[in-house]
Amino acid sequence: MQHYAILRLLLAGFFLYFAWPLIPEATTQLEIVFWGTWLVFFLVVVGANLATLLQMTLPPVMEQDRAKQRQTQNH
């Protein structure tokens, strides 16, 4: 299910595309803290999705393929 990771990376890139021109315009301390926090969150999202995409970690539980196994009892 790598397509979910790719879609999340594209969505994060889309958000960065709109946010990037506004980041240098930050003048107050509150704006700087907001954009700094936003960029850290962006890097966490991108890093986690890259790790999933490169199969360095397991995908989220909802996206893992479940193999249906039938358990039998031996008498």
Side-chain angles (χ1 to χ4, degrees), residues 8-71:
R8 286 190 294 261
L9 284 170
L10 288 173
L11 183 63
F14 178 74
F15 288 149
L16 183 65
Y17 174 76
F18 283 105
W20 193 258
L22 299 174
I23 294 172
E25 295 178 8
T27 55
T28 66
Q29 186 69 26
L30 182 62
E31 290 173 336
I32 293 170
V33 169
F34 171 79
W35 286 117
T37 306
W38 192 91
L39 286 173
V40 167
F41 181 69
F42 171 80
L43 290 175
V44 168
V45 169
V46 169
N49 284 296
L50 280 177
T52 301
L53 194 62
L54 297 173
Q55 298 177 350
M56 296 170 69
T57 61
L58 292 175
V61 176
M62 292 178 55
E63 298 173 11
Q64 291 179 5
D65 293 328
R66 294 185 190 135
K68 294 184 180 181
Q69 297 176 352
R70 183 176 179 182
Q71 296 178 351

